[in-house]
Amino acid sequence: MKKFYILLTVLAAACMPMLAEDLDERFVFVDANGNEIADGSTVTVTTGTDNGEGVHVMFSGVSVKNVSGGTSTYVKVNYTINQIDNGAFQICFPVTCNTRSAVGSYETSAGSLSDGEVRDIQSEWLAEAYGTCNVTLQLETQKKSGGFPPKYTHDGYGATITLNFVYGEEEPGVHGDVNGDGEVTVGDVNAIIDLILNGGDNPAADLNGDGEITVSDVNAVIDLILNGQ
């Protein structure tokens, strides 16, 4: 059984050229829990869901939040795909979805968010095989002029963050390591006995592969310990 994990890390990242005093802080990136993601951070994603059509969908969980105190300013997301080993990167903001499969610089359309509004940008890597997708996102505020169609002009640059999607095969664990401590010891014998007596499911405890957790699996762990494996 494959297991995938997600890790949100805050790391120093290379940013698009910008002076610190020029940073427009009216809009910010936030994570799935609503916490602001600091300018220059990297969000690393290593978990995803198979869609049943040969695509492993990896969601970043990143949204854009309006913290300006008003609604007159528009914002868009500039994004640069630095690396994409396969599949496609998709971002949906403010409404329209953009899907790209090649390295390059792109942008979304501009939209207006009400004060305090949080909008999921639905940024995801649609992976078709193991590999990496690395994308830099930058907020850009814009002014909207009248007329039809309306025109948007640059107003300021906001935070820059990097999304690093990593889709890889899980490294095999230690055979007989039932409690997950990386070793095969008496603790694993006790772990199997607990499962037998109290019930429960742990695939690592079925050492002989017969689909059941029994005394035979206890004996199998003891053999591994005695034989120094």
Side-chain angles (χ1 to χ4, degrees):
M1 180 187 300
K2 294 182 178 178
K3 299 178 183 176
F4 301 95
Y5 305 88
I6 185 166
L7 172 65
L8 177 66
T9 56
V10 180
L11 308 168
C15 303
M16 299 179 183
M18 183 193 317
L19 295 176
E21 58 267 29
D22 292 334
L23 185 67
D24 190 329
E25 298 180 333
R26 288 175 289 180
F27 293 85
V28 296
F29 289 113
V30 295
D31 62 23
N33 296 317
N35 301 311
E36 181 177 344
I37 303 173
D39 177 50
S41 297
T42 294
V43 176
T44 300
V45 182
T46 59
T47 189
T49 303
D50 293 327
N51 69 357
E53 299 178 357
V55 175
H56 190 70
V57 183
M58 306 184 75
F59 301 93
S60 73
V62 173
S63 298
V64 172
K65 182 177 183 179
N66 181 354
V67 294
S68 68
T71 59
S72 60
T73 303
Y74 287 75
V75 63
K76 68 175 182 176
V77 180
N78 300 318
Y79 62 102
T80 298
I81 301 177
N82 307 302
Q83 176 182 348
I84 183 165
D85 292 344
N86 59 76
F89 173 76
Q90 178 172 280
I91 182 171
C92 302
F93 186 85
V95 177
T96 305
C97 292
N98 296 283
T99 304
R100 307 288 182 178
S101 57
V103 170
S105 295
Y106 310 96
E107 61 184 34
T108 69
S109 55
S112 177
L113 279 66
S114 60
D115 182 33
E117 180 181 354
V118 177
R119 187 170 301 179
D120 186 358
I121 63 176
Q122 300 179 52
S123 51
E124 57 196 32
W125 179 32
L126 309 176
E128 298 175 352
Y130 296 136
T132 298
C133 177
N134 184 278
V135 183
T136 300
L137 308 179
Q138 182 186 54
L139 294 172
E140 181 181 350
T141 54
Q142 295 196 312
K143 295 179 180 179
K144 178 182 177 182
S145 59
F148 184 82
K151 290 185 177 180
Y152 297 91
T153 56
H154 172 76
D155 192 24
Y157 286 116
T160 298
I161 66 173
T162 297
L163 305 180
N164 192 47
F165 301 89
V166 180
Y167 178 30
E169 186 173 13
E170 180 188 13
E171 295 183 3
V174 178
H175 184 59
D177 178 22
V178 180
N179 60 11
D181 65 357
E183 299 179 324
V184 181
T185 65
V186 174
D188 299 299
V189 174
N190 294 333
I192 296 178
I193 293 174
D194 286 341
L195 289 171
I196 295 173
L197 295 178
N198 302 315
D201 182 31
N202 184 346
D206 181 19
L207 273 77
N208 60 12
D210 64 356
E212 298 179 329
I213 301 175
T214 66
V215 174
S216 296
D217 300 300
V218 175
N219 293 333
V221 173
I222 293 175
D223 288 340
L224 290 174
I225 296 172
L226 294 176
N227 294 324
Q229 298 179 10

